[in-house]
Amino acid sequence: VTCPDGHVTANRACCALFPVVQNLQENLFDGGECGEEAHSALRLSFHDAIGFSLNSNKGGGADGSILLFNATELTFHANGGIDDITSRQFPVFETTGLTPGDFVHLAGAVGTANCPGAPRLQFMFGRPPPIAPAPDLTVPEPTDDVDAILARFADAGFDASEVVALLSSHTIAAADVVDVTIPGTPFDSTVGTFDTQVFLEVLLAGRSFPGNGSQPGEVLSPLAGEMRLQSDFVVSRDSRTACLWQAMVNNQQLMVSSFAAAMAKLQVLGQNVNTMVDCSDVIPEPAPFAGPIKFPASFSMADVEQACASTFPQIQTVAGPAPTVAPVPGS
């Protein structure tokens, strides 16, 4: 179908979304940047959707409740730092005519598409308005152990491989409240690129804390200015997930395909997909990954704390002294 504005889509219902995508790019994502708002939009879509359970009443899943009922859900400890993106999104949301769920998950997909190397995420259109806020304690925390993380995800319908796949999001993520003295602290040295660098750097031996000493939810980081979450650290070294983690290192295609599949599942949790329309073709095509990843300067295979017996990929090292990772602008 050719829309009135000239865009082509597989379903006429999707024509209404092209102006919304343009609105998002102009008024939320600074013209289409992989910046703080894009990172946070992806985080918001996860925090919204994971409020779901196969076994009990733990929320409506990917329904946008975190945006509409933000006064409730932003009080939850796990949602610390989410208030910035909800306050930026809400005025834009009000101009679109979309339901909260469609807006949150469209914004997450569009923001991710602004990051080179990212997959073009699926977007299903037609979520009804949320009925109530999700309850507390549905979002895994950085202080959780692997048992707790895997159990919470399993309760929402995800296995260990999908957990690791969803953690790919940390390649473009940063911490705002783990250490409040250093907002916008990235989890890898290439925070503006959706690549497997985070899977490599989480396996490197730690050297220092980036801010005000050790905080709950963080462990020693290999690079100055970089934060390593305790949850990433333990998942990367647990016998149930270590080989899944290591398999991502320098395997861009595996990371992208597995993340896209897990996100397609996440972004319709609790929704009736039979009443929704596939509008994935409204999502911009991300720029390709230039690659390959490399060890940060001064690091090598000798710094890898390998927890999986499989052969580790051959990776070159960036020349020069050890870098200091800059915080995400605008944090």
Side-chain angles (χ1 to χ4, degrees), residues 100-120:
D102 280 341
F103 182 86
V104 165
H105 295 285
L106 179 65
V110 172
T112 301
N114 292 335
C115 301
R120 190 187 197 191

Side-chain angles (χ1 to χ4, degrees), residues 139-153 163 167 217 229-238 240-241:
V139 181
E141 298 241 34
T143 51
D144 288 346
D145 60 24
V146 180
D147 286 342
I149 293 168
L150 294 182
R152 174 74 274 269
F153 275 100
V163 172
L167 289 173
L229 295 180
Q230 175 186 319
S231 51
D232 284 353
F233 180 88
V234 295
V235 168
S236 72
R237 289 156 172 81
D238 188 273
R240 293 163 288 184
T241 47

